[in-house]
Amino acid sequence: MPLPEEVLPPAADLGEVLAARRSSYRYGAVPVPLPDLAALLRAALGVQRTVRLPDGRSRALSVAPSAGGLPSLTAYVVVRGPGVGLPGAPVPAGVHRVDLRADEPALVPVRGGDPTPFLARALDQPELADRAGVVVALVARLDTTLDRYPARHYRTLHVDAGVALGHLYLAATALGLPGVAVMGYDDTALDALLDLPEDQFTTVLFALGSRVED
């Protein structure tokens, strides 16, 4: 499911974006438009540049820096339904993995169906499952990080996730989308919803909604 190309947040003054940044629990009634979701993901987590490694291979580096430039995080989007797509494209309710490093950035389906009841059971604040149209999950990958670094670098995964979360906040603010970071959830239930392997775990969620019309 390709993401729209060349969609970025509107040009905005960094000082104004920082001053306007808020954690919001108020979301609009309509689904998040796909162009806005694509702009958010590309601006916060997309590929910034590609570098050549000493062994001749190339590596895509994310807008959100990570320890060693490793692909230490994977983003998932949980779209609630039932059967409600995002305006402008048929994105069904369910869980989708975000693939931004491919030649054609896309959402890769993981599981279909309305995830709202499962998400509500996993959250400490279950009402968020009925409010947010999309929940972005930042998933840490032990396989890529600990394959290169010793076990103490487990903590760098959380640093990487914090940097990426900050990018999500800023991009959402520039787009005028309300969002809030969520740390209160049942790890086992959420990892099962995302169908994660044992060497990956959810670090933080970002609940996202459409603009609130005053």
Side-chain angles (χ1 to χ4, degrees), residues 22-147:
R22 299 287 188 277
S23 291
S24 178
Y25 293 86
R26 290 186 62 216
Y27 308 116
V30 300
V32 179
L34 180 60
D36 283 352
L37 179 61
L40 174 81
L41 296 172
R42 285 176 178 269
L45 310 172
V47 174
Q48 184 195 64
R49 67 191 190 278
T50 300
V51 298
R52 181 75 63 180
L53 300 178
D55 61 7
R57 294 178 300 155
S58 61
R59 173 176 293 168
L61 299 182
S62 171
V63 176
S66 61
L70 298 175
S72 59
L73 298 176
T74 300
Y76 288 75
V77 291
V78 182
V79 181
R80 67 184 181 91
V84 176
L86 304 179
V91 180
V95 179
H96 307 265
R97 178 172 52 83
V98 181
D99 187 353
L100 296 172
R101 293 175 182 265
D103 292 336
E104 295 184 358
L107 299 179
V108 181
V110 173
R111 65 172 76 245
D114 181 18
T116 304
F118 302 97
L119 191 61
R121 285 196 291 269
L123 295 176
D124 292 349
Q125 295 174 285
E127 64 274 11
L128 270 178
D130 292 313
R131 293 180 185 173
V134 174
V135 174
V136 181
L138 296 179
V139 172
R141 297 184 52 182
L142 293 170
D143 56 338
T144 58
T145 301
L146 299 188
D147 183 58

Side-chain angles (χ1 to χ4, degrees), residues 2 13 18 21 35 47 62 68 99 106 132 166 174 176 178 186 193:
D13 179 81
L18 289 170
R21 202 278 315 150
V47 174
S62 171
D99 187 353
D186 181 280
L193 175 63

